[in-house]
Amino acid sequence: MKYLFFIFLLAGFFANAQVLNHKKEFTRQDSLRGTDNEFRNWWNVLRYDISVEPDFDKKFIKGKNMIEFEITGNNPGKIMQIDLQEPMKLGKVKLNGKEVKKVIREGNVYFLHLNQKFQTNSKHKLELEFSGNPRVAKNAPWDGGWIFTKDAKGRPWMTVACQGLGASVWFPNKDYQGDEPDKGASLAMTVPEDLIAIGNGRLVDMSQIGDKLEFVWEVKNPINNYNITPYIGHFTEIKDIYKGEKGDLTLNYWVLDFNRDKAEKQLVQTKDMLKSFEHWFGPYPFYEDGYKLVETSHLGMEHQSAIAYGNHFENGYLGRDLSESGWGMKWDFILIHESGHEWFGNSITTKDVADMWVHEAFTSYSETLHTHQLFGKEAGNDYVIGTRGKIQNDIPMIGVYGVNQEGSGDIYYKGANMIHTFRQLLEDDDKFRQILRGMNEKFYHQTVTTKDIEDYMSQMSGIDLTEFFNQYLRTTMIPTLEYKINGNEITYRWTNVVDKFDMPVKIANSEIWLFPNSEWKTEKLKDGWEKNFRIDRNFYILMKEV
């Protein structure tokens, strides 16, 4: 989610030191983290139990991660890869209670030489101690890491934002998006007793340890590594209940104590958001872990069941309407967008970050659907069409596989307009809704590929979307309808398209469709249409009279 914020703060739509363009020369370090390689593909993470104690003044952390894992395949070398980025250091390593003697570091990766024969389907526990001064975020969440800052009263305020950068920036783990802990995770934080520590899911324990407090939070569901996040500060809690499709959903808002009044007024929008998203996408995916929002010093992130929020309790995106349509000022951008990721990104997660369009395109389109629910379909159309001004078509939306690299920042609003165009092809909002809900049911709490989503949408729509996705996902070309009008006849064709692209389009203010391909076609127009011929604005295409 972080790149969305970055691209709108810069003149260019997509520029980030951590995510480079397709001309980058990739290294072994990129491949080690970006692939399910021979040091990873034989074991599956079942659970993380993480403990951490930060030192605010020294910007230092120490802790432990207990990884429960299962053997899923053969590995003759018995070498296990654990990711932990420099300058963090791995301490003592134990497997099933016995110390692992041979641990070799290679950059941001440790190789554990386990020298043990594992039975397939057997389960084991790996205990990893870690410590160091983690990378400090220079401009969170875009240039991320640990955040050591102070609130408006000069008191310590800490958290982490590490999407893209990876959770291994602060704790050791299998930092691969395709392997989430099946049985969830816990996060124990030891902090000075005047501070409150918040984590994902629910608080399961709090205890006094000398002059400090330990807070233990737990999620029952699978979770992305980069979503596991500590929030530490002078918080106060606001509680509520949403009566949703699966019953009572607990709502908990943790905000800085002096912002409580503003938060209580602004966050009433949460129930409208949940009503919209449950209507379109199906039940909130994490009822067991609750819905939580935590105030942060940075703008926001989609941390599962603990949304990071820093939009200053105002509508729009830091008070601006990104669509320039007016509708984007009717609701709180960070609340809506980051919460949309609970369905797309957190419940449905891509195995490879090259496919992150799945997270961002559908979540960006959730903004349109929410606008539709609140203010009507044309308002939603205005909103998504208004975002087209942010599209750059610089590089394709799909990134490079196996090296931890996303595609273009167009995964947000080009992605949303691609989905909006698909919606037009259906001509049936009920069917569109059932496809979205069905997607969240079929891929509930799963990791997926682009092909999984393409195949599902083609199957459920009854439309062969091969060229549609090849066009919008894999090229930077905008389909261009060339046409010429002679009397009451129109001659037209597609240009700037992939081979065999033949997407039909609808004439504006009519029920008449054109079926162009790359060859010229001629048809008669209804009397008078030649004076104001145009394609329905809801299709993301260009028109060129020749």
Side-chain angles (χ1 to χ4, degrees):
M1 173 53 42
K2 64 181 180 178
Y3 305 123
L4 177 61
F5 312 136
F6 190 50
I7 56 187
F8 293 125
L9 291 177
L10 296 180
F13 188 75
F14 185 72
N16 189 295
Q18 297 169 24
V19 180
L20 306 177
N21 65 36
H22 286 188
K23 296 179 181 179
K24 171 181 166 117
E25 293 184 5
F26 298 103
T27 67
R28 173 171 160 82
Q29 287 289 307
D30 295 320
S31 298
L32 284 172
R33 183 158 150 247
T35 57
D36 191 21
N37 58 46
E38 61 184 307
F39 309 112
R40 292 169 149 180
N41 61 12
W42 51 275
W43 59 285
N44 171 54
V45 177
L46 297 177
R47 183 176 172 87
Y48 290 127
D49 288 294
I50 306 158
S51 61
V52 65
E53 182 175 353
D55 185 318
F56 179 82
D57 294 325
K58 296 180 180 179
K59 295 182 173 58
F60 179 90
I61 64 173
K62 63 180 179 180
K64 182 186 299 183
N65 186 15
M66 180 75 77
I67 304 177
E68 182 182 352
F69 65 96
E70 180 179 17
I71 305 301
T72 57
N74 294 322
N75 180 256
K78 304 298 184 298
I79 298 175
M80 173 184 280
Q81 175 182 327
I82 294 295
D83 304 293
L84 184 64
Q85 296 180 35
E86 296 176 324
M88 293 298 296
K89 294 180 180 180
L90 200 58
K92 188 174 292 186
V93 177
K94 292 182 180 180
L95 176 65
N96 299 324
K98 295 182 179 181
E99 186 172 356
V100 177
K101 299 294 186 180
K102 189 175 181 181
V103 178
I104 298 176
R105 180 163 211 169
E106 184 181 330
N108 295 324
V109 167
Y110 282 89
F111 292 110
L112 313 185
H113 292 250
L114 302 181
N115 298 319
Q116 181 176 337
K117 184 178 181 179
F118 294 109
Q119 295 295 321
T120 303
N121 301 322
S122 62
K123 296 179 176 61
H124 306 271
K125 288 189 176 181
L126 189 68
E127 185 177 319
L128 305 164
E129 295 181 0
F130 63 93
S131 63
N133 295 94
R135 170 175 170 153
V136 174
K138 296 178 181 178
N139 186 25
W142 313 291
D143 191 351
W146 261 78
I147 300 161
F148 297 93
T149 189
K150 293 182 178 180
D151 65 23
K153 293 187 175 182
R155 303 171 299 182
W157 196 11
M158 294 174 276
T159 189
V160 176
C162 60
Q163 185 188 14
L165 183 60
S168 57
V169 75
W170 69 278
F171 75 93
N173 63 84
K174 185 178 183 178
D175 207 358
Y176 171 63
Q177 198 162 275
D179 191 358
E180 300 178 342
D182 302 332
K183 296 172 13 182
S186 70
L187 176 60
M189 296 158 282
T190 302
V191 299
E193 59 186 351
D194 63 326
L195 295 174
I196 292 176
I198 314 299
N200 309 82
R202 300 189 186 277
L203 182 66
V204 295
D205 191 29
M206 184 177 70
S207 57
Q208 187 86 34
I209 304 176
D211 61 350
K212 295 186 177 182
L213 290 175
E214 182 186 60
F215 296 81
V216 183
W217 294 77
E218 180 184 32
V219 290
K220 300 289 189 182
N221 294 295
I223 184 170
N224 303 338
N225 288 354
Y226 70 82
N227 276 337
I228 301 172
T229 306
Y231 301 92
I232 301 164
H234 287 264
F235 294 110
T236 184
E237 182 183 19
I238 303 168
K239 297 182 179 181
D240 204 347
I241 295 287
Y242 174 73
K243 295 189 177 297
E245 290 193 12
K246 291 177 68 174
D248 287 351
L249 173 63
T250 58
L251 309 179
N252 301 85
Y253 312 121
W254 291 88
V255 301
L256 293 179
D257 45 19
F258 51 80
N259 282 332
R260 184 182 182 96
D261 290 345
K262 289 193 295 184
E264 286 180 335
K265 293 176 183 177
Q266 182 73 359
L267 299 180
V268 296
Q269 295 186 32
T270 302
K271 290 184 179 180
D272 285 338
M273 173 273 295
L274 288 167
K275 184 177 180 180
S276 292
F277 290 173
E278 287 207 329
H279 172 81
W280 286 101
F281 305 146
Y284 174 74
F286 307 107
Y287 269 73
E288 301 88 346
D289 296 324
Y291 174 91
K292 185 161 65 271
L293 180 146
V294 188
E295 185 177 359
T296 56
S297 56
H298 63 86
L299 190 54
M301 274 293 298
E302 67 265 26
H303 300 144
Q304 183 175 312
S305 69
I307 299 298
Y309 174 89
N311 204 37
H312 308 314
F313 307 104
E314 60 183 2
N315 282 356
Y317 172 93
L318 293 176
R320 295 186 293 121
D321 175 10
L322 296 180
S323 75
E324 300 181 1
S325 68
W327 297 111
M329 290 302 296
K330 303 292 186 180
W331 37 264
D332 187 314
F333 179 92
I334 297 302
L335 171 64
I336 303 309
H337 184 95
E338 303 300 356
S339 297
H341 273 302
E342 293 283 46
W343 286 263
F344 295 98
N346 297 346
S347 180
I348 301 175
T349 306
T350 58
K351 295 179 185 294
D352 194 303
V353 299
D355 289 334
M356 288 286 281
W357 74 269
V358 176
H359 296 202
E360 301 300 351
F362 285 100
T363 298
S364 293
Y365 199 63
S366 74
E367 302 159 23
T368 295
L369 295 173
H370 184 59
T371 304
H372 173 169
Q373 287 301 105
L374 292 182
F375 306 107
K377 187 171 183 176
E378 283 306 305
N381 293 345
D382 289 344
Y383 180 84
V384 70
I385 292 167
T387 65
R388 291 177 185 170
K390 304 295 189 294
I391 299 172
Q392 293 295 295
N393 283 306
D394 50 355
I395 58 175
M397 287 198 280
I398 293 180
V400 179
Y401 290 103
V403 289
N404 205 51
Q405 188 209 7
E406 292 183 15
S408 169
D410 284 346
I411 58 179
Y412 296 90
Y413 288 133
K414 181 179 179 181
N417 275 279
M418 176 186 72
I419 294 168
H420 192 61
T421 300
F422 166 73
R423 181 180 177 185
Q424 311 315 306
L425 298 178
L426 291 177
E427 286 193 287
D428 185 340
D429 273 358
D430 287 337
K431 186 174 184 178
F432 179 65
R433 176 179 171 236
Q434 291 308 314
I435 288 174
L436 295 177
R437 290 177 66 95
M439 187 183 302
N440 278 278
E441 183 176 350
K442 180 177 178 62
F443 301 115
Y444 181 76
H445 293 179
Q446 293 183 34
T447 57
V448 301
T449 65
T450 284
K451 186 177 187 304
D452 292 331
I453 301 302
E454 288 180 314
D455 289 350
Y456 170 82
M457 292 177 69
S458 289
Q459 178 185 356
M460 299 306 294
S461 66
I463 303 171
D464 184 349
L465 296 168
T466 302
E467 283 73 37
F468 176 85
F469 283 121
N470 284 341
Q471 178 76 31
Y472 286 106
L473 289 177
R474 297 177 176 89
T475 81
T476 60
M477 301 183 294
I478 306 175
T480 301
L481 186 73
E482 286 190 345
Y483 70 98
K484 46 191 174 184
I485 295 176
N486 183 15
N488 68 342
E489 287 188 337
I490 181 171
T491 302
Y492 60 91
R493 69 175 180 180
W494 282 125
T495 61
N496 210 34
V497 292
V498 298
D499 187 38
K500 299 181 181 179
F501 184 84
D502 60 356
M503 183 179 76
V505 287
K506 189 177 182 182
I507 297 176
N509 302 314
S510 79
E511 297 301 320
I512 298 177
W513 287 75
L514 299 180
F515 296 86
N517 55 34
S518 58
E519 303 296 327
W520 287 107
K521 289 185 176 183
T522 300
E523 294 184 24
K524 289 186 177 180
L525 283 171
K526 186 177 178 180
D527 290 345
W529 281 11
E530 69 276 7
K531 298 177 182 178
N532 192 29
F533 171 77
R534 65 185 188 279
I535 299 301
D536 189 317
R537 67 184 186 134
N538 292 296
F539 290 84
Y540 177 49
I541 65 165
L542 295 177
M543 296 180 62
K544 181 181 179 182
E545 188 171 9
V546 295

